[in-house]
Amino acid sequence: MKTLEKTMKSVTENPKYIFRLTVQGVMVGIFAGLMVCLYRFLLYGSEHVLRGYLTIIRGNVFYIVLFFIALVIMGILIDLLTKWEVDSSGSGIPQVYAEVKGHMEANWAKVLFSKIVAGVLTALGGLSLGPEGPSVQIGGMAGKGVAKLFKGSKTDELRLILVGSAVGITAAFNAPLAGVLFVLEEINHGFDKTLVFIALVSAIVSDFISKLIFGQSTALTFVVPNIPLEHYWLFVLLGVLIGLLGYVYNVGMIKSSDLVSNLRMPSWLKFVLVFMVSGVVALTIPEISDGGHFMMDMLDIAMPSLGVLVLLLVLKYLFSMFSFSSGAPGGIFLPILVLGAYIGAVFGSAVVPIFGFEQDIIYKFIVISMAGFFAATVRSPITGIVLIAEMCGSTESLVAMIIVSLIAYMVPTLLGNEPIYESLYDRLLLNKNREFVRETSKHVLSEYLVPLDCNYINFKVKDIPFPKNAIVVSVIRNGKYIIPTEDFHIKYGDQIHVLTDSNDYPYVREEIEELFGG
């Protein structure tokens, strides 16, 4: 009963609740921001160590042998870490998604330790994996740790996990708005005013910490000139191309992951082989090693020839697919942006001489293609557009990014392809080795927004087939809280609060999202 009262007070005593949650949001911003910045700092250091060592060992057989012995040890350590904490494998974003949906209950402290250590090892090994997916999980688990410290309700815990996830993107890219939008668009799949407010507070705090450590310069320093309006039709062509390549990327990533998971070999041997191949790649084609910072720097220093751009694009895609399919801790966020940049560079290098554009116009296509490829693969176009705008520190390419992103979003959608993170989430839940462990009964208050195309608009609450183990406790309409009766009519834009048991929450949420078309 006390747990129920605590959850209900989050609605009836809203001002006090918001203040308390804001304080916790500041704590999440500090703790999660520091954890993600530590992870980011260690990864940068690891990549520099790897590239420095590669310059030393060339032509020295003894050093090369030592390098491959170290890679074998790294592979074994990754295997041990992912067995010790299974939730630390892979990207991290599907795990956060599953946790928020109620299908997982991760140990936040173990995930933090394992994810950070394993991420450093994958960076030292040169695998083509990015830091941003793991940063989302690190931020989310830091948020969960703060929630455990304050011993709040399960509802508060889920909100702080989402807030921490926003910190992950913020601290990784110095992009607070993109961090909040990513959580709303990709993980929460809904608009929760309280969540937005607390996430913004936390994101600003973490962004300040990140800029204190890494500086205030934007992630991208490209000069982006304008393209003549009469040539805007090229963006339509680019959008279609990116959409098709996004479809190929998603299909390839899932197929390769399924193929590797079906191989009958010990997990330690799989990781050792992946690290050994990564070592060969680092020695022969070092440009495509690590998450992609080196490839981005190449574009900024001097634009390679068209043939080199195509070659690096194809090889980076294949190596990213190979690295991720192993299940090693690491993300695909940065590799997606790098591949998008190289698609734009290839497209720009092809059309610039044809139409007689200035050479710098290529950078326009690079920036736009990064947002477009993000929309084609992740299927979160708003996040992608805002993220690239924040990374560039400019909104000059906003209209062009919108055109390309919308078309790139539509093409794979029309082809029946699922967003990459949703596909990975589905595969995570289908893992036969994972079972949802029932925990001590707690109440979860979840919020659902009634969309314009909902089939139950103007229906009475009693006539809507809500799950039997769920109670509609309140509705926010035009900023006012309403305690609904059975005869209360649901309207478009209503924010409906539903109370359920934490053990029923995963299934209740799925049923209600299906009711409202979520």
Side-chain angles (χ1 to χ4, degrees), residues 210-230:
S210 176
K211 285 176 178 174
L212 278 177
I213 298 173
F214 298 104
Q216 300 187 54
S217 60
T218 56
L220 298 176
T221 57
F222 300 146
V223 177
V224 185
N226 290 319
I227 189 172
L229 289 175
E230 61 267 23

Side-chain angles (χ1 to χ4, degrees), residues 3 14 47 76 85 98 113 164 180 187 189 194 223 274 277 330 364 366-367 398 412 463 490 492 518:
T3 306
N14 193 50
E47 290 179 4
I76 293 172
E85 179 47 67
F113 177 82
V180 175
I187 300 179
H189 289 179
T194 302
V223 177
V274 169
V277 172
K364 180 87 168 182
I366 288 174
V367 168
L398 202 58
D463 295 329
I490 297 298
Y492 159 65

Side-chain angles (χ1 to χ4, degrees), residues 339-354:
L339 290 172
Y342 271 71
I343 291 170
V346 169
F347 185 85
S349 296
V351 301
V352 160
I354 295 175

